[in-house]
Amino acid sequence: MNPRAVFIVLLLASAAHAESFKAWAARASREEREKDDKTAFQSYSNALSSWKDSDGKAAKAKVLCARAKLRDRGGDEAGALEDYSDCVALDKKNAKAFDRRGELRLK
């Protein structure tokens, strides 16, 4: 690989780490609509890694629930249960998260 190509790859990789919570969450939502669950899962995880208090607990809960749904669909019931539990800890009025967590616990 030539030096210019290496530089471009490094530049793009650096930019990816600088994205905000909202940008990662929006990207993940788009990827999920496009049926790219693996990439959407990674983007939701990146969003959670870049979350700050100023982004809001409700937004974090929404991303946790979205990632939990992907985990459950992929067969990772333990991970989904953990994400749903974190979601309801932040958003105690999220009936859908309570319901899905209950269904997982019944399994």
Side-chain angles (χ1 to χ4, degrees):
M1 193 181 274
N2 68 36
R4 183 176 180 188
V6 171
F7 175 73
I8 291 172
V9 168
L10 290 174
L11 184 63
L12 291 174
S14 299
H17 292 293
E19 287 191 52
S20 69
F21 169 82
K22 289 180 183 180
W24 279 117
R27 174 184 284 186
S29 180
R30 184 184 70 246
E31 292 162 348
E32 191 174 359
R33 282 192 310 273
E34 295 170 353
K35 308 290 189 228
D36 188 357
D37 289 355
K38 184 177 179 181
T39 306
F41 175 82
Q42 187 58 50
S43 294
Y44 281 131
S45 296
N46 289 342
L48 292 168
S49 295
S50 62
W51 181 84
K52 297 178 182 120
D53 288 336
S54 60
D55 293 315
K57 290 181 181 180
K60 184 177 183 179
K62 184 176 178 180
V63 169
L64 281 163
C65 283
R67 188 174 76 169
K69 183 173 72 173
L70 291 176
R71 282 183 162 180
D72 190 21
R73 200 176 338 180
D76 180 10
E77 292 176 356
L81 186 60
E82 182 179 339
D83 279 352
Y84 281 130
S85 293
D86 291 344
C87 174
V88 298
L90 294 171
D91 183 5
K92 301 206 183 319
K93 294 183 179 183
N94 190 330
K96 189 179 282 188
F98 274 108
D99 180 57
R100 289 184 175 160
R101 184 178 72 167
E103 289 175 7
L104 283 171
R105 285 182 172 171
L106 280 174
K107 285 184 182 181

